[in-house]
């Protein structure tokens, strides 16, 4: 990127302008998606500001409640959840909402109802809040017919049916990565303008990668294909260099790096957690959607991640996602293991 030229840029592609441009390609479009997205963007800006001043505003620390996953809720989680629910409902474009923080799905009252269902994790990676490590919001969007009473089936759909997905990372800068089905684009918040500006157009994940990312503390409980892949990363037998290990432990940050630099991000099954840790609807699906749209792959150890059909809103699944060739290797290891059985 030419930073000098960039500094003098006057023709800014804001996220709203970008989505309006996309919308103009579909003359039948009613603009509902653009309105929904502007409410999500507002939620992201609000959470970004809250994360930035968390220390000052004493938002760091426990809120005194435990969420349905049995995790302690942080004040920022509670706040972010409220912000997103209010922003989504007030858009008048949503129907069913699923949040990581709420045990039950939210069915939007009929006067405020629209065609979109949003599944989201308002503040993912929350164990990192107190030490200032990057955290983020993850969201996936389904569009359903608006001719029926909303039900859970509206959101219990495979990830390949999503019409859009994205995340916002609250890090050294605030970055929103979005796919509306064709390509993946990254926008960075310009705090002086209060606008997300297109900074990473048409992101493509490198076909191969030099980084692997996994919680190696769980290695003693891994299955054979996961252990074999990681062993190969560290001790390649084909004369190639060993891969680097990078694990932040905050999914948005680990996936963001994987998307830009290539490699693999894994949260595999293990003996203690046969379904892994990450939640299908609002972690595995949106991230798999983005990785696929950027040219990579996402695999559960058994199938393409986006083909999973969830039966419960907080279901978990193992996931291996990243560069196309790396995931091919992991798929081959699982296929070989399957033949042994
Ligand atoms: P966190 O527990 O801090 O909220 O699913 C949540 C998540 O973070 C992901 O963001 C992250 O990738 C993963 O859990 C980290 O889990 P481990 O601590 O088990 O490695």
């Amino acid at each position: 990127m030419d930073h000098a030229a960039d500094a003098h840029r006057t023709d800014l592609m804001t996220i709203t302008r970008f989505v309006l441009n996309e919308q103009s390609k579909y003359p039948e479009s009613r603009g509902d998606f653009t309105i929904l997205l502007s409410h999500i963007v507002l939620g992201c800006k609000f959470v970004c500001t809250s994360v930035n001043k968390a220390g000052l505003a004493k938002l760091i620390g426990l809120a005194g409640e435990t969420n349905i996953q049995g995790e302690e809720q942080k004040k920022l989680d509670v706040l972010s959840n409220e912000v997103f629910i209010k922003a989504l409902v007030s858009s008048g474009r949503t129907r069913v909402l699923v949040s990581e923080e709420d045990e039950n799905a939210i069915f939007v009252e009929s006067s405020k109802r629209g065609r979109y269902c949003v599944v989201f994790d308002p503040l993912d990676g929350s164990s990192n809040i107190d030490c200032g490590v990057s955290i983020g919001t993850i969201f996936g969007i389904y569009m359903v017919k608006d001719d029926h009473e909303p039900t859970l089936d509206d959101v219990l759909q495979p990830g390949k049916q999503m019409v859009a997905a994205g995340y916002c990372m609250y890090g050294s800068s605030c970055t929103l990565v979005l796919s509306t089905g064709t390509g993946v684009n990254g926008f960075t918040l310009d705090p002086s303008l209060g606008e997300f500006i297109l900074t990473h157009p048409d992101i493509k994940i490198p076909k191969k990668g030099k980084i692997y990312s996994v919680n190696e503390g769980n290695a003693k409980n891994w299955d054979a294909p996961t252990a074999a892949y990681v062993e190969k990363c560290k001790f390649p037998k084909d004369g190639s260099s060993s891969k680097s290990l990078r694990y932040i432990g905050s999914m948005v940050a680990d996936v963001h790096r994987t998307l830009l630099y290539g490699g693999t991000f894994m949260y595999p099954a293990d003996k203690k957690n046969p379904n892994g840790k990450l939640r299908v609807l609002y972690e595995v699906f949106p991230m798999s959607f983005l990785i696929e749209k950027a040219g990579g792959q996402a695999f559960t150890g058994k199938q393409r991640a986006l083909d999973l059909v969830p039966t419960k809103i907080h279901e978990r699944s193992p996931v291996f996602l990243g560069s196309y060739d790396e995931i091919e290797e992991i798929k081959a290891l699982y296929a070989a293991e399957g033949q042994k059985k």
Side-chain angles (χ1 to χ4, degrees):
M1 187 183 281
D2 182 344
H3 291 285
D6 218 43
H8 295 105
R9 233 162 16 133
T10 50
D11 186 22
L12 301 174
M13 179 61 80
T14 64
I15 193 162
T16 312
R17 181 175 158 197
F18 181 87
V19 175
L20 282 170
N21 280 355
E22 291 287 297
Q23 185 192 308
S24 65
K25 294 178 195 157
Y26 305 94
E28 71 288 358
S29 164
R30 304 195 297 216
D32 286 347
F33 184 79
T34 309
I35 293 169
L36 171 64
L37 191 76
S38 70
H39 282 252
I40 293 177
V41 165
L42 177 67
C44 293
K45 285 182 196 168
F46 190 106
V47 174
C48 177
T49 312
S50 308
V51 169
N52 286 343
K53 60 184 184 203
L56 289 172
K58 296 201 185 343
L59 284 168
I60 288 177
L62 300 180
E65 285 175 31
T66 302
N67 69 8
I68 62 123
Q69 325 283 350
E71 297 159 345
E72 290 164 326
Q73 277 190 341
K74 303 271 179 171
K75 287 180 190 171
L76 264 175
D77 299 29
V78 179
L79 180 75
S80 310
N81 195 34
E82 267 178 42
V83 165
F84 274 99
I85 290 170
K86 287 187 177 144
L88 291 166
V89 172
S90 66
S91 75
R93 302 299 183 278
T94 57
R95 202 168 176 78
V96 184
L97 307 178
V98 173
S99 164
E100 197 241 5
E101 297 295 336
D102 291 311
E103 180 170 2
N104 297 314
I106 297 166
F107 295 98
V108 177
E109 63 178 87
S110 55
S111 63
K112 293 186 178 146
R113 223 175 259 167
R115 290 183 293 169
Y116 292 100
C117 301
V118 184
V119 290
F120 61 102
D121 186 345
L123 206 55
D124 189 76
S126 48
S127 59
N128 291 294
I129 295 175
D130 288 0
C131 59
V133 166
S134 299
I135 47 183
T137 298
I138 311 174
F139 58 91
I141 304 175
Y142 292 103
M143 189 172 77
V144 293
K145 296 209 170 74
D146 51 8
D147 57 358
H148 63 281
E149 271 301 298
T151 70
L152 273 189
D153 288 342
D154 289 336
V155 285
L156 294 177
Q157 301 192 57
K160 64 182 172 197
Q161 308 284 29
M162 284 184 170
V163 292
Y167 59 79
C168 186
M169 186 175 73
Y170 312 110
S172 52
S173 55
C174 180
T175 309
L176 199 154
V177 173
L178 174 74
S179 175
T180 53
T182 44
V184 179
N185 292 281
F187 303 82
T188 304
L189 183 65
D190 181 331
S192 59
L193 295 173
E195 290 276 9
F196 280 99
I197 309 294
L198 180 65
T199 46
H200 296 73
D202 199 17
I203 298 171
K204 296 278 182 244
I205 182 169
K207 196 160 178 286
K208 292 179 190 300
K210 295 190 183 119
I211 298 173
Y212 71 103
S213 183
V214 67
N215 185 342
E216 284 220 54
N218 298 329
K220 75 172 176 355
N221 291 321
W222 286 344
D223 61 17
T226 305
Y229 177 74
V230 171
E231 182 73 3
K232 204 164 167 244
C233 290
K234 297 199 253 192
F235 305 103
K237 295 209 169 77
D238 58 3
S240 59
S241 316
S242 307
K243 295 191 194 300
S244 294
L245 167 65
R246 298 280 184 272
Y247 188 69
I248 299 166
S250 175
M251 190 186 194
V252 175
D254 281 315
V255 171
H256 188 62
R257 183 201 54 248
T258 307
L259 198 58
L260 297 185
Y261 297 172
T264 40
F265 167 77
M266 304 171 261
Y267 211 109
D270 61 48
K271 279 182 212 139
K272 274 188 4 211
N273 305 295
N275 293 322
K277 176 180 184 188
L278 302 177
R279 283 62 145 207
V280 171
L281 273 184
Y282 39 80
E283 291 181 311
V284 173
F285 278 173
M287 293 312 203
S288 301
F289 186 92
L290 290 165
I291 289 285
E292 276 201 9
K293 297 295 175 195
Q297 298 196 71
F299 178 61
T300 65
K302 291 191 174 124
Q303 59 178 326
R304 176 188 175 209
L306 292 177
D307 283 342
L308 268 179
V309 186
T311 54
K312 287 191 284 215
I313 59 172
H314 296 292
E315 197 167 303
R316 299 169 196 260
S317 167
V319 70
F320 302 83
L321 54 79
S323 293
Y324 192 94
D325 287 358
E326 301 300 327
I327 305 301
E328 275 301 289
E329 267 190 45
I330 294 173
K331 282 160 77 176
L333 289 165
Y334 271 96
E337 179 75 5
Q339 277 168 8
K340 281 191 214 156
K341 288 179 183 162

